C-alpha cells in the first residue's frame, strides 16, 4: 500500500484491500458499493481552503507556541480587517508544510512535558499481538505504520501528568495558553485600539502579582486593563463566558473539572483544544472501519477531510479486523484529538462473544490504545447490573453498542460490570498517559418513546459518582449523553447532567428530535444539537445522512460535519459568545453589499456556496452584480434598501431629510387645527 501517492485510488494496494474485505466472492452488491466508495476517496487534500490562508499566533508565556487560524481577507471596499476563523485542519492547510502520510505529521509538543521531567520513555512498550488486528494475516493484514521513530511515554510516579493535576497545582501549561489564544480568535488585535496596554492572553492582575508556568518558574505580570468588552446578546443559562479567555481562566476551569484538554502524552502531533461549557461549542466526527469495509486509505481520507471541514475531534469507532494497524495511521496523521470505545476492540479479541470478555483483556486493550496515543476513551462504567432490567420495556432496548455489550456480559455472569468494579484501576491507567474520560451513556435511549426514562437517568447519576472518583485520581472527565430525545425533553438532560455530574463537560450523541427522518437524520439531530449546545453542552457528536443506514463515505462525513458546525455556531450565538457574532455580522455586511466572493469565503462551505451561485450566474461579471438569480435586478430587497439609503442621503445633502419634511408637515397641520378652534367632527 502506498498512501502517500497523489492518486492512491489507482494503486494495487487498494485493489488488494478491496478484495480482502469481500465477505464472499459472489457478493456483487458489496463489490459495487466498494467501488463507489473508492471513486470518492483516496486523495489526501492539502493546501489552503478557498478564499483564506493559514496564519499563526505566538504565545506570550510560552513564545514557541504557534496557534493556527484561518484568515479570510475581505474585499477592499469593505474597509474591514481580515476575519479570523477557528481552524482544526492542522498542517494539511499550510502550504509551507510537506505532507507525507507515511511519516506522520510534525510534532506540536515534542518536549513540553519531557523537559520538566514529568514523563519518561517506556522501556518495554507493549508489543502488537495478532488479536489486536483480529488475527488478520497475509494479504488480509493492513500495512503497519512505521513507528520506529515513535517513542512511548508514561507519567513519572509522584509527578503531575494530566492537565487536571497541573491546574489544581496552580500551574499554567503551554497547552492552557495555547487553547486560550485559540479561543479568542485574535480578537484582542481589534480591541487593542481601545485598550492599547492590554496584554493578549494574560488575565488582569494587581501590582506585583505573578503567574506560575509549567516548569515551576514564575514571572511577574504588571497590572493591565482588560480589553474593551463586547456587547452581549444572548441567554447563557448560567454559563460564565468571559469577554476574553486567559490562560488563568483556562487553568481555573480545568481545575474545577468544568473543562478538559484531551491530549494524550503519546499524541504529540495534536493541536491542543478545549472542551467546556464556557468555551466555543465543539463538534466530534465519527469514522472507523467495519467488518464489511476496511482500508487505511479510506479512514485517513475521512479523517483529513473531516478536520478540513471543521471537525474538532474524531472518534475512531472501528470494528472488525486491522483495528490496531489502521489506528496507528489515524493517530500519527491526526492534528485533532482521537477518541475510541476500547470495548469494541476488546470484543474483537474474544471473537465477538460478549460473555467471554474479561477485565484482563479489557485492561490490555486500554494500555495498547493509551500507548498508541488515543486521547479519550468512552468507558461504559455506568451500565450496572441493577439498571439492565429497567430497559426491558423499551421500544428500542439499549441502542449503545458498548452499553449492550456490557449489559449482555452482566446478565450472562449475573454480576456487576467489571468496568464498574475496576473503575479505580481504569483511572490509574488513564492518568498515567493523560487519557481523558468520556464516561459513556451506555443506556441512552434509542427512540423518542424511550427518552428520559429511569434507566437513562439512573446511569447519569452513576456517572456523577464516577466523575468524583476520576477527579480524585487526577483524571480529566467529560460525560456522554443523551441519545434520541424530543425537543421538549432536551433541557432536562442538561439540567440533570449539571446537577448530578458536578458541571463536568457534557458531550452529546445526537440528540435526534424525531424518529421519522432516515436519510436526513443529520438535520433532525442538528435541531436538537443546537438546542442542547445552547443549554450548556460542550461538544456535539455529529450525525450523518447515512446514520443507521450504512457506513459513511467522504460526502456523508462532509454533510454531517457542516450541519453540526452550523448547530454549534447557532448555540454559541444563542449563548451570547462574544466571538460568534463577529463572524455572522461580517457575512451579513458582505451579503448586503453584494460582495459575492466575501460571501462565499466567509461561509462554512465556500465551495458549495460558489457552486450554487455559479449554477445560474456563472460569469465573472456576475460576481459584482447587485442581485441574485432568485430575485433578479428589480425585486432584490437588498438593492431596494440601498436605493432608499441613497435617496435619503441625497436629500440630506440637499439640506433636508425625510424626518425634517415629516416634522414640517405635521407642524402645518397642527396650526390649521388650532386655527379651526380645535374642534373634532365625527360624522355618523
Amino acid at each position: 500500500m502506498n498512501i502517500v501517492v497523489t492518486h492512491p485510488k489507482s494503486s494495487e494496494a487498494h485493489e488488494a484491500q478491496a478484495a480482502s474485505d469481500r465477505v464472499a466472492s459472489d457478493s456483487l452488491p458489496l463489490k459495487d458499493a466498494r467501488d463507489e466508495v473508492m471513486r470518492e476517496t483516496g486523495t489526501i487534500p492539502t493546501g489552503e481552503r478557498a478564499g483564506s490562508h493559514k496564519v499563526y499566533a505566538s504565545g506570550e508565556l510560552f513564545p514557541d507556541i504557534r496557534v493556527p487560524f484561518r484568515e479570510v481577507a475581505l474585499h477592499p471596499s469593505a474597509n474591514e480587517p481580515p476575519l479570523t476563523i477557528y481552524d482544526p485542519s492542522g498542517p494539511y492547510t499550510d502550504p509551507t508544510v510537506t505532507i507525507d502520510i507515511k511519516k506522520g505529521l510534525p510534532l506540536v509538543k515534542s518536549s513540553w512535558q519531557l523537559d520538566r521531567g514529568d514523563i519518561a520513555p517506556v522501556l518495554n512498550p507493549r508489543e502488537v499481538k495478532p488479536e489486536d488486528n483480529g488475527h488478520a494475516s497475509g494479504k488480509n493484514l493492513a500495512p503497519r505504520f512505521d513507528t520506529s521513530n515513535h517513542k512511548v511515554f508514561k507519567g513519572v510516579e509522584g509527578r503531575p501528568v494530566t492537565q487536571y493535576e497541573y491546574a489544581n497545582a496552580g500551574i499554567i501549561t503551554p497547552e492552557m495558553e495555547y487553547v486560550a489564544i485559540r479561543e479568542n480568535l485574535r480578537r484582542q488585535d481589534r480591541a487593542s485600539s481601545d485598550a492599547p496596554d492590554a496584554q493578549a492572553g494574560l488575565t488582569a492582575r494587581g501590582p506585583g502579582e505573578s503567574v506560575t508556568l509549567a516548569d515551576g518558574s514564575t514571572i511577574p505580570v504588571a497590572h493591565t486593563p482588560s480589553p474593551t468588552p463586547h456587547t452581549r446578546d444572548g441567554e447563557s443559562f448560567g454559563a460564565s463566558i468571559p469577554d476574553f479567555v486567559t490562560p488563568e481562566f483556562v487553568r481555573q476551569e480545568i481545575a474545577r473539572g468544568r473543562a478538559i484538554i484531551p491530549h494524550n502524552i503519546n499524541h504529540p502531533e495534536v493541536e491542543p483544544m478545549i472542551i467546556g461549557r464556557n468555551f466555543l461549542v465543539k463538534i466530534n466526527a465519527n469514522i472507523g472501519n467495519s467488518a464489511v469495509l476496511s482500508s487505511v486509505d479510506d479512514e485517513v481520507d475521512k479523517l483529513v477531510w473531516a478536520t478540513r471541514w471543521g471537525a474538532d475531534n474524531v472518534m475512531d469507532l472501528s470494528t472488525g479486523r486491522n483495528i490496531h494497524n489502521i489506528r496507528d495511521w489515524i493517530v500519527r496523521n491526526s492534528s485533532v484529538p482521537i477518541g475510541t470505545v476500547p470495548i469494541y476492540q476488546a470484543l474483537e479479541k474474544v471473537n465477538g462473544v460478549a460473555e467471554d470478555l474479561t477485565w484482563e483483556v479489557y485492561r490490555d486493550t486500554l494500555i495498547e490504545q493509551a500507548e498508541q496515543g488515543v486521547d479519550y476513551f468512552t468507558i461504559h462504567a455506568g451500565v450496572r447490573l441493577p439498571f439492565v432490567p429497567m430497559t426491558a420495556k423499551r421500544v428500542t432496548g439499549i441502542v449503545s453498542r458498548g452499553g449492550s455489550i456490557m449489559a449482555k456480559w452482566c446478565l450472562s455472569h449475573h454480576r456487576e460490570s467489571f468496568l464498574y468494579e475496576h473503575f479505580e484501576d481504569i483511572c490509574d491507567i488513564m492518568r498515567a498517559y493523560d487519557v481523558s474520560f468520556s464516561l459513556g451513556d451506555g443506556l441512552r435511549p434509542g427512540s423518542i418513546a424511550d427518552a428520559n426514562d429511569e434507566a437513562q437517568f439512573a446511569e447519569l447519576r452513576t456517572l456523577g459518582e464516577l466523575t468524583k472518583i476520576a477527579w480524585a485520581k487526577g483524571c480529566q472527565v467529560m460525560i456522554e449523553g443523551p441519545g434520541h430525545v424530543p425537543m421538549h425533553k432536551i433541557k432536562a438532560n442538561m439540567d440533570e447532567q449539571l446537577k448530578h455530574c458536578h458541571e463536568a463537560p457534557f458531550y452529546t450523541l445526537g440528540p435526534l428530535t424525531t424518529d421519522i427522518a432516515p436519510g436526513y437524520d443529520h438535520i433532525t439531530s442538528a435541531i436538537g444539537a443546537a438546542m442542547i449546545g445552547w443549554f450548556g453542552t460542550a461538544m456535539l457528536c455529529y450525525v450523518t445522512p447515512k446514520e443507521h443506514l450504512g457506513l459513511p463515505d467522504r460526502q456523508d462525513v462532509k454533510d454531517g460535519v457542516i450541519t453540526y458546525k452550523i448547530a454549534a455556531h447557532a448555540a454559541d450565538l444563542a449563548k451570547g459568545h462574544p466571538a460568534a457574532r463577529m463572524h455572522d455580522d461580517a457575512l451579513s455586511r458582505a451579503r448586503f453589499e453584494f460582495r459575492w466572493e466575501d460571501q462565499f469565503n466567509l461561509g462554512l462551505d465556500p465551495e458549495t456556496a460558489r457552486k450554487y451561485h455559479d449554477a445560474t450566474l456563472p460569469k465573472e461579471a456576475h460576481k459584482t452584480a447587485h442581485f441574485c438569480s432568485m430575485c433578479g435586478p428589480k425585486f432584490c430587497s437588498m438593492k431596494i434598501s440601498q436605493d432608499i439609503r441613497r435617496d435619503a442621503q441625497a436629500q440630506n445633502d440637499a439640506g433636508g431629510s425625510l424626518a425634517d419634511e415629516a416634522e414640517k408637515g405635521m407642524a402645518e397641520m397642527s396650526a390649521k387645527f388650532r386655527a379651526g378652534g380645535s374642534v373634532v367632527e365625527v360624522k355618523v
Side-chain angles (χ1 to χ4, degrees), residues 98 125 248 282 368 526:
T98 300
E248 173 62 16
K282 307 302 191 299
E368 172 194 352

Side-chain angles (χ1 to χ4, degrees), residues 101-125:
I101 304 299
K102 282 186 174 180
K103 296 180 179 179
L105 299 184
L107 306 184
V108 175
K109 60 157 197 176
S110 57
S111 61
W112 289 355
Q113 289 173 300
L114 187 62
D115 289 349
R116 54 184 182 260
D118 294 339
I119 64 174
V122 177
L123 297 179
N124 296 299

Side-chain angles (χ1 to χ4, degrees), residues 18 46 80 82 86 128 229 238 253 294 367 376 420 441 445 463 564:
T46 59
E80 296 179 26
Y86 196 100
V128 180
E253 289 293 287
S294 176
I367 295 172
Y376 58 100
Y420 184 79
D441 54 337
L463 298 183
Y564 263 62

Side-chain angles (χ1 to χ4, degrees), residues 306-317:
T307 58
R308 188 177 184 87
W309 290 316
D312 301 288
N313 295 266
V314 169
M315 204 68 178
D316 175 16
L317 300 177

Side-chain angles (χ1 to χ4, degrees), residues 460-461 464 493-503:
L460 186 66
R461 291 189 291 272
N493 282 267
M494 189 72 245
D495 293 342
E496 287 293 299
Q497 194 272 345
L498 290 171
K499 176 182 177 182
H500 297 294
C501 299
H502 326 292
E503 295 189 276

Side-chain angles (χ1 to χ4, degrees), residues 109-175:
K109 60 157 197 176
S110 57
S111 61
W112 289 355
Q113 289 173 300
L114 187 62
D115 289 349
R116 54 184 182 260
D118 294 339
I119 64 174
V122 177
L123 297 179
N124 296 299
R126 181 188 177 280
E127 294 288 335
V128 180
K129 304 174 184 178
E131 58 266 31
D132 299 342
N133 287 301
H135 295 281
S137 61
K139 66 179 183 179
N140 295 325
L141 181 63
R144 288 285 307 275
F145 183 89
D146 182 7
T147 58
S148 57
N149 294 322
H150 176 69
K151 292 184 178 179
V152 176
F153 293 94
K154 191 176 181 180
V156 174
E157 196 65 36
R159 300 279 297 179
V161 181
T162 71
Q163 294 297 308
Y164 183 78
E165 290 176 306
Y166 289 128
N168 278 284
I171 296 172
I172 294 175
T173 64
E175 291 92 333

